[in-house]
Amino acid sequence: MLILAIESSCDETAAAVVADGRRVLSIQIASQVELHARYGGVVPEIASRAHLEAIVPIVEAALSEANVSLDQLDAVAVTRGPGLIGCLLVGVEFAKSIAATQRIPLIAVQHVAGHLYSPFIGRETDAWGVSVDQPADFHPYIGLAISGGHSSIVLVEEPLRHVTLGETLDDAVGEAYDKIAKLIGLGYPGGPIVDRIASRGNPQAFKFPRPLLNRRDSHDFSFSGLKTAFAREVEKLGGREVIEASEQLTADLCASFQAAAVHVLVEKARRALKAHHPMFHLAITGGVACNRGLRAFLQTFPRKYKIAFPDPEYCTDNAAMIAGAAFHIHQANVSAPLTLNASSRLDITAAPSVWNQ
Ligand code: KG4
Ligand code: ZN
């Protein structure tokens, strides 16, 4: 069962071919990072235009890397939402044209559901350590979807059945990383840069708040207050120029910010697991799941927990996770009409049949 998927919800044009929902045969990504870097964030109009330019070569590259031709495909999948509407449209329209010309089912996938499925895909083994030739069932599990657009804790009861336990009340964690990096002139996207510099700093140099950690009854996040506390500290220290002139100060600020962000993420994950005891499976997904500080911290989790950390290429936006999730929608005999519209908001807790209306 071969599915070609297209993902264009934000600033990566991505295509991939996945066999039987598990084996990644190809994964191609055209990143627009350089186009947006000088603005310090994604500019929607620039992003949609770049998707238009990249989509044909990226789909061709994905088919060619997988050594698969269009007429061998069993279905074509696409991210329908949430995301930037002009960006999503490029992928949705292109997928519709493939479905129509090849006469194969069109399958719409919710983007965050794709992230939460990413632990199950791989070239040889998945992030649970299971061969992709074997069935893997780690449901139910607690999934963290942490990226530039989302910060949610989700109970994944079975493939593509989601209960949102908590989400961010303001900024996503990756967004906070990107904003504080911009504030001290570190470049875009800030997450990986802050992560790298943090390893050289003292995580206790500055005491940043751990937002909502004292709310024991809530699985929600809030990262805007942490970002503001960081900005205030930068002001107190004399402003951006002073920070830029000192490598040590930069490293200490990054390390202290990262310590606060990672502490909140790990502690909230631990509480969600405890609240659903007996629950021993945890999956960390989305761009921020690449974070080395977070990965190191989770090594200290008790051994009774099985934690899936997808490879970085499956953590950041990609189409292989979309193709994998689409397999289960196809198995349930659900597909979308050729009149499908992109949707900037799409509820992860709705049934996949609703995503496909
Ligand atoms: O999943 P993704 O590619 O796109 C969204 O759906 O948003 O995630 C991108 C986000 C950016 O905010 C980026 O700064 C962040 O993930 N990110 C990181 C790291 N690598 C990427 N944040 C912290 N540490 C990292 N190593
Ligand atoms: Zn994403």
Side-chain angles (χ1 to χ4, degrees):
M1 166 92 213
L2 292 175
I3 297 185
L4 164 74
I6 296 169
E7 150 67 47
S8 66
S9 63
C10 190
D11 59 345
E12 330 267 4
T13 320
V17 178
V18 172
D20 303 324
R22 303 258 293 143
R23 184 181 285 278
V24 176
L25 301 182
S26 65
I27 179 162
Q28 293 286 331
I29 298 172
S31 170
Q32 305 174 6
V33 161
E34 279 169 26
L35 284 178
H36 301 290
R38 64 189 173 119
Y39 303 100
V42 178
V43 182
E45 292 76 10
I46 296 178
S48 2
R49 177 182 281 268
H51 283 305
L52 273 175
E53 284 168 9
I55 193 133
V56 172
I58 277 296
V59 168
E60 279 176 353
L63 291 169
S64 138
E65 187 200 345
N67 204 12
V68 162
S69 59
L70 275 176
D71 55 12
Q72 289 175 290
L73 295 174
D74 295 293
V76 58
V78 68
T79 302
R80 180 185 183 186
L84 299 168
I85 194 75
C87 297
L88 290 163
L89 266 171
V90 176
V92 168
E93 293 306 317
F94 199 76
K96 277 156 72 171
S97 68
I98 294 177
T101 53
Q102 298 302 311
R103 297 175 192 277
I104 52 176
L106 170 71
I107 299 169
V109 178
Q110 204 272 6
H111 178 80
V112 183
H115 276 300
L116 289 165
Y117 187 78
S118 61
F120 294 99
I121 56 171
R123 289 193 187 263
E124 299 298 330
T125 52
D126 65 13
W128 302 104
V130 177
S131 159
V132 291
D133 294 330
Q134 306 290 322
D137 189 1
F138 290 89
H139 299 85
Y141 63 91
I142 299 291
L144 240 59
I146 42 176
S147 69
H150 322 275
S151 301
S152 324
I153 296 195
V154 180
L155 169 63
V156 188
E157 294 179 321
E158 52 187 67
L160 306 186
R161 211 164 92 203
H162 306 99
V163 179
T164 302
L165 305 177
E167 52 199 341
T168 182
L169 305 178
D170 38 60
D171 289 357
V173 58
E175 187 183 354
Y177 264 97
D178 295 340
K179 285 179 176 167
I180 64 112
K182 188 175 175 182
L183 200 73
I184 52 173
L186 289 183
Y188 173 83
I193 307 172
V194 172
D195 187 16
R196 204 172 51 242
I197 296 177
S199 64
R200 300 196 287 270
N202 172 8
Q204 273 140 22
F206 301 98
K207 289 267 167 294
F208 288 132
R210 270 65 171 159
L212 294 189
L213 216 50
N214 55 356
R215 285 267 314 275
R216 297 215 147 248
D217 56 334
S218 161
H219 295 300
D220 286 335
F221 296 109
S222 161
F223 290 103
S224 144
L226 174 57
K227 179 193 68 188
T228 309
F230 184 95
R232 237 187 261 125
E233 196 61 56
V234 170
E235 277 309 306
K236 240 175 31 197
L237 291 164
R240 175 174 165 162
E241 289 74 25
V242 176
I243 314 299
E244 279 179 322
S246 165
E247 269 188 32
Q248 194 55 50
L249 215 45
T250 303
D252 287 348
L253 279 167
C254 288
S256 302
F257 174 88
Q258 175 137 312
V262 164
H263 183 184
V264 172
L265 293 170
V266 172
E267 183 56 20
K268 292 263 172 177
R270 199 185 59 79
R271 285 184 198 169
L273 287 163
K274 273 191 94 174
H276 293 84
H277 186 80
M279 168 80 71
F280 298 107
H281 297 146
L282 173 67
I284 317 282
T285 69
V288 182
C290 298
N291 188 270
R292 286 184 295 178
L294 177 63
R295 289 182 180 233
F297 201 144
L298 279 165
Q299 298 291 340
T300 65
F301 243 51
R303 281 185 169 271
K304 64 181 176 192
Y305 292 109
K306 189 156 178 65
I307 307 179
F309 262 124
D311 282 348
E313 66 175 336
Y314 306 133
C315 283
T316 48
D317 284 350
N318 69 87
M321 64 187 193
I322 302 299
F327 173 77
H328 293 272
I329 301 177
H330 188 267
Q331 293 289 89
N333 277 321
V334 171
S335 63
L338 289 177
T339 50
L340 183 77
N341 264 326
S343 175
S344 62
R345 288 168 184 271
L346 194 61
D347 183 7
I348 190 171
T349 62
S353 57
V354 174
W355 307 339
N356 278 270
Q357 272 165 10

